[in-house]
Amino acid sequence: MSSNELTDDEIDFQTLRYGQTINDNVGYYWWKRYTYSAFWNIVSTPINLAITIFTALSTGQTATQSLTNQQIATTINIVTLILSVINTFFKPLEQLRINQSVKDKWSDIGVEYEEVYNTIVHSREQKLKKLEEMKKVFTRSTNTKKADESNYLIDLIFMFSRLFCIRKNIKWIPEASEEYKKEKLKLEALKKSKDEANQTMAESSV
């Protein structure tokens, strides 16, 4: 069924239905990337700070031979080497930048969704235009979701964050879900009423 064949109530429902999926996707993946960014920020900052301090101590010890004893200097060199290998292999700072960039993409989609969702419409033409704009945001969010990569360790952290911290507050616009549910019930009631009327007419014509 094309958009032009839909009733005004059906157009409103279709718009909210697309919005419901966008609302779920943006909320979920924004919070997911927020968790990723927080994790890599927590990891990268102390590692890079420790490498800087230990490298300075090692350089000072090499130059003066008097900052620490040889055993401590050797330990510092080994720890610096291990931290440098970890930093080079996992690249936490780069991971932080990547995840912040992806989080910003979801934020942009969320802002675009808000603009369409909050657009006040009255005429049928305006409702159809809003539906088409919502479809565009839906397509963008779907494509972004397909390109989203996962890290199973951080996904586990995110799962516990959802369970104990975020809980149900994961949707981008929480009140939009309630509006969708109300519109769905309204449309189902109208459909039921229409079916009953058609059945009554069919029985009376017999």
Side-chain angles (χ1 to χ4, degrees), residues 29-173:
Y29 286 99
W30 186 90
W31 276 108
K32 178 181 175 181
R33 288 299 166 177
Y34 178 88
T35 304
Y36 275 38
S37 298
F39 174 84
W40 288 117
N41 185 48
I42 292 170
V43 170
S44 66
T45 301
I47 285 180
N48 283 286
L49 181 61
I51 290 174
T52 301
I53 293 173
F54 289 156
T55 301
L57 287 173
S58 179
T59 303
Q61 173 64 19
T62 302
T64 63
Q65 298 294 324
S66 60
L67 284 178
T68 61
N69 59 47
Q70 189 59 40
Q71 185 177 358
I72 295 177
T74 302
T75 302
I76 289 175
N77 287 334
I78 293 173
V79 171
T80 304
L81 176 62
I82 293 172
L83 290 175
S84 297
V85 171
I86 293 173
N87 197 45
T88 302
F89 183 78
F90 290 103
K91 300 178 180 178
L93 190 58
E94 183 180 338
Q95 292 292 334
L96 172 62
R97 289 169 182 162
I98 290 171
N99 282 283
Q100 285 180 332
S101 176
V102 177
K103 180 171 69 71
D104 290 342
K105 287 181 181 178
W106 281 111
S107 183
D108 290 342
I109 296 173
V111 171
E112 190 177 351
Y113 165 56
E114 283 182 43
E115 291 175 354
V116 178
Y117 173 78
N118 292 318
T119 300
I120 299 174
V121 294
H122 300 288
S123 67
R124 180 179 176 83
E125 289 72 21
Q126 290 175 332
K127 291 184 176 184
L128 286 171
K129 182 180 178 182
K130 183 175 181 177
L131 175 58
E132 292 305 314
E133 289 176 349
M134 193 67 82
K135 285 181 180 179
K136 291 178 182 177
V137 182
F138 172 79
T139 301
R140 185 183 173 195
S141 70
T142 302
N143 292 337
T144 306
K145 177 182 175 181
K146 289 178 181 177
D148 198 280
E149 298 178 353
S150 294
N151 181 302
Y152 296 113
L153 171 62
I154 310 178
D155 279 349
L156 185 64
I157 298 173
F158 177 54
M159 183 184 72
F160 282 106
S161 297
R162 286 188 63 188
L163 187 62
F164 297 108
C165 301
I166 306 171
R167 296 185 180 179
K168 295 182 179 180
N169 302 318
I170 199 168
K171 298 186 185 297
W172 188 257
I173 307 179

